[in-house]
Amino acid sequence: MSEGKRAFLKMLAIVSAILSLLPFTPIIEFVAPAVAAKFPRRKIGNVEELIPNSYKIFFYPGDNDPYLTNMLIRLPDGQYRAFNRVCVHLQCLVRYYPQSTYAQWKGQPTIECPCHGSVYRPSDAAPIGGPAAQIGRGLVLLKLEIEKKSGDIYVTGMVGQVGFGRYVNEKTDPLQPVEA
Amino acid sequence: MLDLVNQLFDETVDWVKQRLDRTSFAAIKMNVPERFLSPLALLGVLTLIMFVVLGVTGALLLFYYVPTFEGSYGSVVRINDDVTYGLMLRNIHYHASNAMVLLAIIHMFNYYFKARYKSVIRGEILWLTGVILGAMTVLEAYTGYDLIFNERAALAINIGRALSYGTPFIGDILGQILIGTGIQDLVLRYYSLHIFIIPMMMLLLLGLHIPRVFILDIPVTMISVGSIVLLGGLFPVELGTKFEPTVPLGIVLPEWYLTGLYAFIRSQIHPWVAGALLPGLLLVAFALVPFLDRDRTMTVKDRPFFTAMGVAFIGQIILTTVWGFRADNIFKPLKQEADLPIDPVIFNASLIIISAVSYVAIYGYYRWKTIQAKAAPRAPPPRKPKRSYVSTRELIAIMLVLIAIQIFLNFTALQAHLTGIRNLVLVQVGVILIVFGMLFHAIRVYLKEPLFKKVLLQ
């Protein structure tokens, strides 16, 4: 057999080997599941529970996952917001501060991380200070629904990925609770 | 009677050896040294022995460990407090892991300074697999101490998550690979990585890393394993506080081999740059060393540039590792959360200073030595003739004393076990193993040849 023929056959064998491995590449979806979590509609509180400028903590969608603790915030102007608590910097759990501990935001409420000093804005959880501002992603937003009759507050979903955070977009983010 | 036993032993060994010749076992050449070697020559073997110790103790710990988020900490508490010998196995497992990381680091630097990676001796693949194995050792240790799910594990898992999410372009996918759909997936992923995936990959790589001639120094092996057990008794491993999702972490530190990276992360650069990009570049730099240092010189003083680079790097490792334990100022102990952020200007400046100082000092020293040596070449010192310094009577006396110590320690260890002083048991068992190593060494010094030469040498 000539050298050229042999090289050609070798090349065909390599192509065939690659083609037989190709169908196995989607295995990545087994390791990185496309559906991160299911989001049930769950009651988390009532409008009469919180006074303005306060917050409470709840688990969603799981029940004991440390990275699925969230906070329902009532802003000073009476509006409701809910965010996941995992900081985008090093995954510590953030808290709502009715009065910021930083001189820069004196007298204003902030969301702050106790570990490395990241600061977020309570109205949309955009990073405004500390290492999170450098990373540039905000906290995961929880979609809220308020039942008009009973005043019960429900969570219906999440915007962003817990731990990774979300790219804050003032226009498209569903910040306002839906009234039902 | 004694002759018969001896003959039977030899014949059995011969029978087994002939059959083993048909297996791949025959390809491994075991070298059992008949005298005391420099421990530097044994670092690789000792690392492997720690790997074996970790495999054995880890396999036993599997019987009680529960890989769930709610159950893991409780199962470790149970191993610690209730399971018979549980604390001992956990102690040995913990100290052997620290020893393995430390030995691997020293092993790497030893071969770096001796230029054992060079093309002249075809050492590139040994070096490359060694670098990968070193990185995997740290990953194995990292996934291991995370399985306890105490606060230290929480910090480590948090940083692991932040590093995978922080990766540019593929961060969200990487994060999903590490975490799956939630904390329970993460627990099982770290678990399977720790007990199966990483160790199996390391075993495969070991096939490319262990040289064909393999030094098995029984006394040094026994003394090292004994020291691990002894250390386990003297410095028992801690449990830490349980990781409670709703309680802020407070001040926790990673294990000592990661405090260097932690200092970088604390110095306010982007966490992915500090915790993933920098160590990654470092690994690449180490992997490339054989392709950068290409000439035929092998000694430390003939390669002043690479020697000085190595020393400067050790200086950086020590500085960052120590700083990881300290406050924003390296001379201040870490007491409150406000001390965590390190000023990047001071941090990087001190890194540059320590690198420059070590580099200039070492480079200058070896240049000066070379110039001096050229001016006045010195004759090598005369070799001392070897001599045996143990007589038969002395050997028997030494062995009897050592065996008496072993008998005594066996009794006291049993007594300590029965009275429930578990740390003392570990100390005594450690000393028993060390004594065995000494006894073996005494015999080989006397015989001037390995005791089981026939068995192990081909």
Side-chain angles (χ1 to χ4, degrees), chain A residues 28 30-33 35-36 59 64-67 89-93 95 114-116 134-135 137 161-164, chain B residues 69-70 157-159 161-162 165 172-173 176-177 180-183 189 243 245 248 265 268-271 337 340:
Chain A
I28 189 79
F30 177 83
V31 185
V35 182
F59 282 106
N64 54 4
D65 190 325
Y67 301 102
H89 173 229
L90 287 180
Q91 320 273 304
C92 283
L93 297 182
R95 263 181 297 174
C115 296
H116 309 92
Q134 204 182 347
I135 291 168
R137 295 191 298 267
Q161 192 181 339
V162 173
F164 183 73
Chain B
F69 179 63
E70 296 89 32
I157 292 170
N158 280 349
I159 293 178
R161 286 173 66 118
Y165 279 133
D172 44 349
I173 297 170
Q176 270 183 9
I177 290 177
T181 61
I183 190 79
R189 275 160 204 231
F243 175 28
I265 289 175
Q268 296 168 34
I269 13 177
H270 191 292
E337 279 157 10
L340 277 174

Side-chain angles (χ1 to χ4, degrees), chain B residues 405-418 428 432:
Chain B
I405 294 174
Q406 278 193 322
I407 293 172
F408 172 73
L409 285 173
N410 263 299
F411 272 114
T412 48
L414 181 67
Q415 198 187 18
H417 173 63
L418 292 177
Q428 286 166 337
I432 290 174

Side-chain angles (χ1 to χ4, degrees), chain B residues 219-261:
Chain B
V220 174
T221 305
M222 292 310 286
I223 290 172
S224 335
V225 176
S227 313
I228 295 300
V229 179
L230 182 73
L231 283 171
L234 292 178
F235 307 104
V237 53
E238 286 168 12
L239 262 175
T241 319
K242 187 177 194 279
F243 175 28
E244 289 292 353
T246 46
V247 179
L249 280 182
I251 301 260
V252 269
L253 289 170
E255 286 286 353
W256 60 271
Y257 36 81
L258 292 174
T259 49
L261 285 185

Side-chain angles (χ1 to χ4, degrees), chain B residues 413-431:
Chain B
L414 181 67
Q415 198 187 18
H417 173 63
L418 292 177
T419 36
I421 316 170
R422 295 182 295 174
N423 294 340
L424 188 62
V425 181
L426 274 179
V427 172
Q428 286 166 337
V429 172
V431 177

Side-chain angles (χ1 to χ4, degrees), chain B residues 120-333:
Chain B
V120 189
I121 52 166
R122 289 169 294 149
E124 289 104 323
I125 286 193
L126 286 179
W127 175 260
L128 281 176
T129 48
V131 171
I132 302 171
L133 276 169
M136 293 181 96
T137 306
V138 174
L139 281 181
E140 176 71 358
Y142 162 79
T143 49
Y145 83 78
D146 290 350
L147 291 179
I148 304 169
F149 286 93
N150 54 15
E151 287 191 333
R152 171 179 273 188
L155 175 80
I157 292 170
N158 280 349
I159 293 178
R161 286 173 66 118
L163 295 186
S164 20
Y165 279 133
T167 314
F169 310 119
I170 52 165
D172 44 349
I173 297 170
L174 263 188
Q176 270 183 9
I177 290 177
L178 189 76
I179 287 133
T181 61
I183 190 79
Q184 184 51 49
D185 283 6
L186 180 139
V187 177
L188 281 177
R189 275 160 204 231
Y190 274 56
Y191 181 65
S192 43
L193 280 171
H194 182 71
I195 68 161
F196 187 78
I197 299 172
I198 300 177
M200 279 300 140
M201 287 162 79
M202 287 175 84
L203 268 182
L204 290 178
L205 275 174
L206 275 177
L208 296 173
H209 189 69
I210 294 176
R212 260 166 57 81
V213 182
F214 183 85
I215 305 174
L216 184 68
D217 190 319
I218 291 169
V220 174
T221 305
M222 292 310 286
I223 290 172
S224 335
V225 176
S227 313
I228 295 300
V229 179
L230 182 73
L231 283 171
L234 292 178
F235 307 104
V237 53
E238 286 168 12
L239 262 175
T241 319
K242 187 177 194 279
F243 175 28
E244 289 292 353
T246 46
V247 179
L249 280 182
I251 301 260
V252 269
L253 289 170
E255 286 286 353
W256 60 271
Y257 36 81
L258 292 174
T259 49
L261 285 185
Y262 192 47
F264 271 108
I265 289 175
R266 282 168 49 194
S267 76
Q268 296 168 34
I269 13 177
H270 191 292
W272 185 78
V273 174
L277 185 64
L278 281 179
L281 286 176
L282 212 77
L283 274 181
V284 171
F286 264 103
L288 289 179
V289 163
F291 308 101
L292 300 173
D293 185 12
R294 299 172 65 95
D295 56 14
R296 303 180 67 85
T297 54
M298 299 285 285
T299 59
V300 164
K301 66 176 189 318
D302 289 335
R303 301 151 47 233
F305 173 75
F306 283 95
T307 306
M309 286 291 274
V311 174
F313 185 52
I314 291 179
Q316 291 186 352
I317 290 182
I318 292 173
L319 180 83
T320 52
T321 299
V322 173
W323 207 326
F325 287 105
R326 310 292 289 178
D328 47 348
N329 176 340
I330 195 168
F331 301 108
K332 229 168 71 183

Side-chain angles (χ1 to χ4, degrees), chain A residues 18-39:
Chain A
I18 292 171
L19 283 176
S20 33
L21 289 178
L22 213 57
F24 293 97
T25 43
I27 195 75
I28 189 79
E29 279 177 30
F30 177 83
V31 185
V35 182
K38 286 186 177 129
F39 298 118

